[in-house]
Structure formats: structure tokens, C-alpha cells
PDB file of all heavy atoms in Angstrom:
ATOM      1  N   VAL A   1     -12.453   6.993   8.416  1.00 90.00           N
ATOM      2  CA  VAL A   1     -13.890   6.758   8.305  1.00 90.00           C
ATOM      3  C   VAL A   1     -14.417   7.568   7.135  1.00 90.00           C
ATOM      4  O   VAL A   1     -14.122   8.760   7.013  1.00 90.00           O
ATOM      5  CB  VAL A   1     -14.633   7.168   9.605  1.00 90.00           C
ATOM      6  CG1 VAL A   1     -16.140   6.991   9.436  1.00 90.00           C
ATOM      7  CG2 VAL A   1     -14.127   6.345  10.773  1.00 90.00           C
ATOM      8  N   GLY A   2     -15.178   6.906   6.262  1.00 87.00           N
ATOM      9  CA  GLY A   2     -15.728   7.604   5.109  1.00 87.00           C
ATOM     10  C   GLY A   2     -16.400   6.647   4.160  1.00 87.00           C
ATOM     11  O   GLY A   2     -16.686   5.490   4.493  1.00 87.00           O
ATOM     12  N   SER A   3     -16.643   7.138   2.963  1.00 85.00           N
ATOM     13  CA  SER A   3     -17.269   6.325   1.925  1.00 85.00           C
ATOM     14  C   SER A   3     -16.187   5.576   1.163  1.00 85.00           C
ATOM     15  O   SER A   3     -15.337   6.198   0.526  1.00 85.00           O
ATOM     16  CB  SER A   3     -18.065   7.215   0.975  1.00 85.00           C
ATOM     17  OG  SER A   3     -18.455   6.498  -0.175  1.00 85.00           O
ATOM     18  N   PRO A   4     -16.184   4.245   1.191  1.00 87.00           N
ATOM     19  CA  PRO A   4     -15.149   3.494   0.456  1.00 87.00           C
ATOM     20  C   PRO A   4     -15.152   3.803  -1.041  1.00 87.00           C
ATOM     21  O   PRO A   4     -14.090   3.925  -1.656  1.00 87.00           O
ATOM     22  CB  PRO A   4     -15.519   2.034   0.735  1.00 87.00           C
ATOM     23  CG  PRO A   4     -16.321   2.064   1.990  1.00 87.00           C
ATOM     24  CD  PRO A   4     -17.064   3.352   1.964  1.00 87.00           C
ATOM     25  N   ALA A   5     -16.350   3.969  -1.626  1.00 82.00           N
ATOM     26  CA  ALA A   5     -16.419   4.230  -3.058  1.00 82.00           C
ATOM     27  C   ALA A   5     -15.814   5.587  -3.404  1.00 82.00           C
ATOM     28  O   ALA A   5     -15.025   5.715  -4.355  1.00 82.00           O
ATOM     29  CB  ALA A   5     -17.873   4.161  -3.526  1.00 82.00           C
ATOM     30  N   LEU A   6     -16.150   6.612  -2.612  1.00 83.00           N
ATOM     31  CA  LEU A   6     -15.624   7.940  -2.904  1.00 83.00           C
ATOM     32  C   LEU A   6     -14.128   8.026  -2.617  1.00 83.00           C
ATOM     33  O   LEU A   6     -13.374   8.656  -3.374  1.00 83.00           O
ATOM     34  CB  LEU A   6     -16.377   8.991  -2.081  1.00 83.00           C
ATOM     35  CG  LEU A   6     -17.826   9.260  -2.488  1.00 83.00           C
ATOM     36  CD1 LEU A   6     -18.446  10.324  -1.590  1.00 83.00           C
ATOM     37  CD2 LEU A   6     -17.920   9.675  -3.945  1.00 83.00           C
ATOM     38  N   LEU A   7     -13.673   7.403  -1.539  1.00 89.00           N
ATOM     39  CA  LEU A   7     -12.247   7.430  -1.234  1.00 89.00           C
ATOM     40  C   LEU A   7     -11.447   6.647  -2.271  1.00 89.00           C
ATOM     41  O   LEU A   7     -10.315   7.032  -2.604  1.00 89.00           O
ATOM     42  CB  LEU A   7     -12.003   6.873   0.173  1.00 89.00           C
ATOM     43  CG  LEU A   7     -12.536   7.742   1.317  1.00 89.00           C
ATOM     44  CD1 LEU A   7     -12.297   7.068   2.660  1.00 89.00           C
ATOM     45  CD2 LEU A   7     -11.879   9.128   1.310  1.00 89.00           C
ATOM     46  N   LEU A   8     -12.015   5.562  -2.797  1.00 87.00           N
ATOM     47  CA  LEU A   8     -11.348   4.844  -3.886  1.00 87.00           C
ATOM     48  C   LEU A   8     -11.300   5.712  -5.138  1.00 87.00           C
ATOM     49  O   LEU A   8     -10.294   5.735  -5.847  1.00 87.00           O
ATOM     50  CB  LEU A   8     -12.071   3.536  -4.170  1.00 87.00           C
ATOM     51  CG  LEU A   8     -11.513   2.699  -5.335  1.00 87.00           C
ATOM     52  CD1 LEU A   8     -10.055   2.320  -5.083  1.00 87.00           C
ATOM     53  CD2 LEU A   8     -12.369   1.457  -5.558  1.00 87.00           C
ATOM     54  N   GLN A   9     -12.390   6.434  -5.403  1.00 83.00           N
ATOM     55  CA  GLN A   9     -12.405   7.357  -6.544  1.00 83.00           C
ATOM     56  C   GLN A   9     -11.333   8.419  -6.373  1.00 83.00           C
ATOM     57  O   GLN A   9     -10.614   8.771  -7.321  1.00 83.00           O
ATOM     58  CB  GLN A   9     -13.781   8.012  -6.647  1.00 83.00           C
ATOM     59  CG  GLN A   9     -13.920   9.025  -7.774  1.00 83.00           C
ATOM     60  CD  GLN A   9     -14.119   8.368  -9.120  1.00 83.00           C
ATOM     61  OE1 GLN A   9     -14.909   7.450  -9.252  1.00 83.00           O
ATOM     62  NE2 GLN A   9     -13.386   8.821 -10.119  1.00 83.00           N
ATOM     63  N   MET A  10     -11.191   8.952  -5.159  1.00 88.00           N
ATOM     64  CA  MET A  10     -10.176   9.963  -4.886  1.00 88.00           C
ATOM     65  C   MET A  10      -8.774   9.409  -5.133  1.00 88.00           C
ATOM     66  O   MET A  10      -7.947  10.039  -5.825  1.00 88.00           O
ATOM     67  CB  MET A  10     -10.305  10.438  -3.434  1.00 88.00           C
ATOM     68  CG  MET A  10      -9.226  11.406  -2.979  1.00 88.00           C
ATOM     69  SD  MET A  10      -9.144  11.547  -1.179  1.00 88.00           S
ATOM     70  CE  MET A  10      -8.408   9.958  -0.762  1.00 88.00           C
ATOM     71  N   THR A  11      -8.488   8.232  -4.583  1.00 91.00           N
ATOM     72  CA  THR A  11      -7.162   7.632  -4.728  1.00 91.00           C
ATOM     73  C   THR A  11      -6.866   7.303  -6.193  1.00 91.00           C
ATOM     74  O   THR A  11      -5.763   7.559  -6.689  1.00 91.00           O
ATOM     75  CB  THR A  11      -7.074   6.355  -3.876  1.00 91.00           C
ATOM     76  OG1 THR A  11      -7.452   6.664  -2.528  1.00 91.00           O
ATOM     77  CG2 THR A  11      -5.662   5.805  -3.876  1.00 91.00           C
ATOM     78  N   THR A  12      -7.841   6.753  -6.889  1.00 88.00           N
ATOM     79  CA  THR A  12      -7.651   6.417  -8.299  1.00 88.00           C
ATOM     80  C   THR A  12      -7.387   7.666  -9.128  1.00 88.00           C
ATOM     81  O   THR A  12      -6.524   7.667 -10.016  1.00 88.00           O
ATOM     82  CB  THR A  12      -8.886   5.670  -8.833  1.00 88.00           C
ATOM     83  OG1 THR A  12      -9.118   4.507  -8.031  1.00 88.00           O
ATOM     84  CG2 THR A  12      -8.689   5.256 -10.273  1.00 88.00           C
ATOM     85  N   ASN A  13      -8.126   8.733  -8.860  1.00 87.00           N
ATOM     86  CA  ASN A  13      -7.915   9.973  -9.602  1.00 87.00           C
ATOM     87  C   ASN A  13      -6.506  10.521  -9.384  1.00 87.00           C
ATOM     88  O   ASN A  13      -5.862  11.009 -10.319  1.00 87.00           O
ATOM     89  CB  ASN A  13      -8.954  11.010  -9.190  1.00 87.00           C
ATOM     90  CG  ASN A  13     -10.317  10.741  -9.770  1.00 87.00           C
ATOM     91  OD1 ASN A  13     -10.515   9.735 -10.445  1.00 87.00           O
ATOM     92  ND2 ASN A  13     -11.256  11.628  -9.512  1.00 87.00           N
ATOM     93  N   LEU A  14      -6.034  10.459  -8.143  1.00 91.00           N
ATOM     94  CA  LEU A  14      -4.696  10.974  -7.848  1.00 91.00           C
ATOM     95  C   LEU A  14      -3.618  10.164  -8.563  1.00 91.00           C
ATOM     96  O   LEU A  14      -2.696  10.732  -9.168  1.00 91.00           O
ATOM     97  CB  LEU A  14      -4.454  10.968  -6.337  1.00 91.00           C
ATOM     98  CG  LEU A  14      -5.241  11.995  -5.517  1.00 91.00           C
ATOM     99  CD1 LEU A  14      -4.981  11.806  -4.029  1.00 91.00           C
ATOM    100  CD2 LEU A  14      -4.861  13.414  -5.925  1.00 91.00           C
ATOM    101  N   VAL A  15      -3.725   8.841  -8.494  1.00 92.00           N
ATOM    102  CA  VAL A  15      -2.718   8.001  -9.150  1.00 92.00           C
ATOM    103  C   VAL A  15      -2.813   8.138 -10.667  1.00 92.00           C
ATOM    104  O   VAL A  15      -1.793   8.215 -11.360  1.00 92.00           O
ATOM    105  CB  VAL A  15      -2.884   6.534  -8.706  1.00 92.00           C
ATOM    106  CG1 VAL A  15      -1.875   5.647  -9.413  1.00 92.00           C
ATOM    107  CG2 VAL A  15      -2.718   6.406  -7.192  1.00 92.00           C
ATOM    108  N   HIS A  16      -4.027   8.182 -11.192  1.00 89.00           N
ATOM    109  CA  HIS A  16      -4.211   8.345 -12.641  1.00 89.00           C
ATOM    110  C   HIS A  16      -3.634   9.667 -13.112  1.00 89.00           C
ATOM    111  O   HIS A  16      -2.949   9.742 -14.150  1.00 89.00           O
ATOM    112  CB  HIS A  16      -5.701   8.257 -12.974  1.00 89.00           C
ATOM    113  CG  HIS A  16      -5.999   8.387 -14.445  1.00 89.00           C
ATOM    114  ND1 HIS A  16      -6.156   9.608 -15.059  1.00 89.00           N
ATOM    115  CD2 HIS A  16      -6.153   7.445 -15.423  1.00 89.00           C
ATOM    116  CE1 HIS A  16      -6.398   9.424 -16.351  1.00 89.00           C
ATOM    117  NE2 HIS A  16      -6.401   8.117 -16.594  1.00 89.00           N
ATOM    118  N   ASN A  17      -3.891  10.717 -12.363  1.00 88.00           N
ATOM    119  CA  ASN A  17      -3.351  12.030 -12.727  1.00 88.00           C
ATOM    120  C   ASN A  17      -1.824  12.016 -12.698  1.00 88.00           C
ATOM    121  O   ASN A  17      -1.169  12.613 -13.562  1.00 88.00           O
ATOM    122  CB  ASN A  17      -3.893  13.083 -11.755  1.00 88.00           C
ATOM    123  CG  ASN A  17      -3.474  14.482 -12.122  1.00 88.00           C
ATOM    124  OD1 ASN A  17      -4.026  15.109 -13.008  1.00 88.00           O
ATOM    125  ND2 ASN A  17      -2.468  15.005 -11.410  1.00 88.00           N
ATOM    126  N   ALA A  18      -1.254  11.328 -11.709  1.00 91.00           N
ATOM    127  CA  ALA A  18       0.204  11.265 -11.609  1.00 91.00           C
ATOM    128  C   ALA A  18       0.814  10.463 -12.754  1.00 91.00           C
ATOM    129  O   ALA A  18       1.937  10.742 -13.196  1.00 91.00           O
ATOM    130  CB  ALA A  18       0.600  10.647 -10.264  1.00 91.00           C
ATOM    131  N   ILE A  19       0.093   9.452 -13.252  1.00 91.00           N
ATOM    132  CA  ILE A  19       0.606   8.654 -14.372  1.00 91.00           C
ATOM    133  C   ILE A  19       0.526   9.424 -15.677  1.00 91.00           C
ATOM    134  O   ILE A  19       1.481   9.471 -16.466  1.00 91.00           O
ATOM    135  CB  ILE A  19      -0.181   7.328 -14.479  1.00 91.00           C
ATOM    136  CG1 ILE A  19       0.073   6.451 -13.252  1.00 91.00           C
ATOM    137  CG2 ILE A  19       0.191   6.573 -15.747  1.00 91.00           C
ATOM    138  CD1 ILE A  19      -0.788   5.206 -13.202  1.00 91.00           C
ATOM    139  N   VAL A  20      -0.634  10.037 -15.929  1.00 89.00           N
ATOM    140  CA  VAL A  20      -0.852  10.704 -17.214  1.00 89.00           C
ATOM    141  C   VAL A  20       0.030  11.935 -17.362  1.00 89.00           C
ATOM    142  O   VAL A  20       0.644  12.155 -18.414  1.00 89.00           O
ATOM    143  CB  VAL A  20      -2.349  11.065 -17.358  1.00 89.00           C
ATOM    144  CG1 VAL A  20      -2.573  11.926 -18.598  1.00 89.00           C
ATOM    145  CG2 VAL A  20      -3.195   9.803 -17.425  1.00 89.00           C
ATOM    146  N   HIS A  21       0.117  12.747 -16.313  1.00 89.00           N
ATOM    147  CA  HIS A  21       0.907  13.976 -16.374  1.00 89.00           C
ATOM    148  C   HIS A  21       2.307  13.674 -15.830  1.00 89.00           C
ATOM    149  O   HIS A  21       2.669  14.112 -14.730  1.00 89.00           O
ATOM    150  CB  HIS A  21       0.226  15.085 -15.589  1.00 89.00           C
ATOM    151  CG  HIS A  21      -1.144  15.407 -16.101  1.00 89.00           C
ATOM    152  ND1 HIS A  21      -1.372  16.175 -17.224  1.00 89.00           N
ATOM    153  CD2 HIS A  21      -2.370  15.027 -15.656  1.00 89.00           C
ATOM    154  CE1 HIS A  21      -2.670  16.289 -17.436  1.00 89.00           C
ATOM    155  NE2 HIS A  21      -3.295  15.599 -16.495  1.00 89.00           N
ATOM    156  N   ASN A  22       3.070  12.940 -16.604  1.00 90.00           N
ATOM    157  CA  ASN A  22       4.394  12.511 -16.178  1.00 90.00           C
ATOM    158  C   ASN A  22       5.368  12.699 -17.324  1.00 90.00           C
ATOM    159  O   ASN A  22       5.023  13.255 -18.374  1.00 90.00           O
ATOM    160  CB  ASN A  22       4.343  11.037 -15.732  1.00 90.00           C
ATOM    161  CG  ASN A  22       5.290  10.728 -14.598  1.00 90.00           C
ATOM    162  OD1 ASN A  22       6.474  11.045 -14.685  1.00 90.00           O
ATOM    163  ND2 ASN A  22       4.771  10.121 -13.544  1.00 90.00           N
ATOM    164  N   LEU A  23       6.582  12.234 -17.131  1.00 89.00           N
ATOM    165  CA  LEU A  23       7.583  12.312 -18.191  1.00 89.00           C
ATOM    166  C   LEU A  23       7.216  11.385 -19.343  1.00 89.00           C
ATOM    167  O   LEU A  23       6.585  10.345 -19.132  1.00 89.00           O
ATOM    168  CB  LEU A  23       8.953  11.932 -17.633  1.00 89.00           C
ATOM    169  CG  LEU A  23       9.544  12.872 -16.564  1.00 89.00           C
ATOM    170  CD1 LEU A  23      10.851  12.293 -16.024  1.00 89.00           C
ATOM    171  CD2 LEU A  23       9.760  14.272 -17.119  1.00 89.00           C
ATOM    172  N   PRO A  24       7.615  11.738 -20.568  1.00 85.00           N
ATOM    173  CA  PRO A  24       7.317  10.852 -21.706  1.00 85.00           C
ATOM    174  C   PRO A  24       7.948   9.469 -21.563  1.00 85.00           C
ATOM    175  O   PRO A  24       7.392   8.484 -22.033  1.00 85.00           O
ATOM    176  CB  PRO A  24       7.897  11.610 -22.906  1.00 85.00           C
ATOM    177  CG  PRO A  24       7.991  13.030 -22.462  1.00 85.00           C
ATOM    178  CD  PRO A  24       8.260  12.985 -20.997  1.00 85.00           C
ATOM    179  N   GLU A  25       9.078   9.397 -20.897  1.00 85.00           N
ATOM    180  CA  GLU A  25       9.773   8.126 -20.711  1.00 85.00           C
ATOM    181  C   GLU A  25      10.341   8.067 -19.298  1.00 85.00           C
ATOM    182  O   GLU A  25      10.773   9.069 -18.738  1.00 85.00           O
ATOM    183  CB  GLU A  25      10.917   7.954 -21.717  1.00 85.00           C
ATOM    184  CG  GLU A  25      10.455   7.896 -23.171  1.00 85.00           C
ATOM    185  CD  GLU A  25      11.624   7.748 -24.125  1.00 85.00           C
ATOM    186  OE1 GLU A  25      12.777   7.788 -23.639  1.00 85.00           O
ATOM    187  OE2 GLU A  25      11.386   7.589 -25.332  1.00 85.00           O
ATOM    188  N   GLN A  26      10.347   6.853 -18.738  1.00 86.00           N
ATOM    189  CA  GLN A  26      10.953   6.589 -17.432  1.00 86.00           C
ATOM    190  C   GLN A  26      10.380   7.498 -16.330  1.00 86.00           C
ATOM    191  O   GLN A  26      11.104   8.015 -15.488  1.00 86.00           O
ATOM    192  CB  GLN A  26      12.478   6.739 -17.499  1.00 86.00           C
ATOM    193  CG  GLN A  26      13.134   5.755 -18.450  1.00 86.00           C
ATOM    194  CD  GLN A  26      14.650   5.868 -18.452  1.00 86.00           C
ATOM    195  OE1 GLN A  26      15.213   6.776 -17.844  1.00 86.00           O
ATOM    196  NE2 GLN A  26      15.302   4.937 -19.129  1.00 86.00           N
TER     197      GLN A  26
END
């Protein structure tokens, strides 16, 4: 139970952070 917009923002930030701060390849 919560705010769909804020929880989507939270999930997007986590996945985005995991993509950007990753290995240069593979």
C-alpha cells in the first residue's frame, strides 16, 4: 500500500542507478 507514483519513482531510480553504475561492458 502506498503512492504508485512515488513507488514507481523509487523502483526506476534503483534500476537506473544499477544500470549507470555498472561494468563498462557486459
Side-chain angles (χ1 to χ4, degrees):
V1 177
S3 168
L6 289 180
L7 292 177
L8 178 60
Q9 178 78 46
M10 175 197 73
T11 307
T12 303
N13 285 3
L14 289 176
V15 178
H16 181 274
N17 185 79
I19 294 173
V20 172
H21 300 282
N22 214 308
L23 295 175
E25 297 179 355
Q26 298 183 352

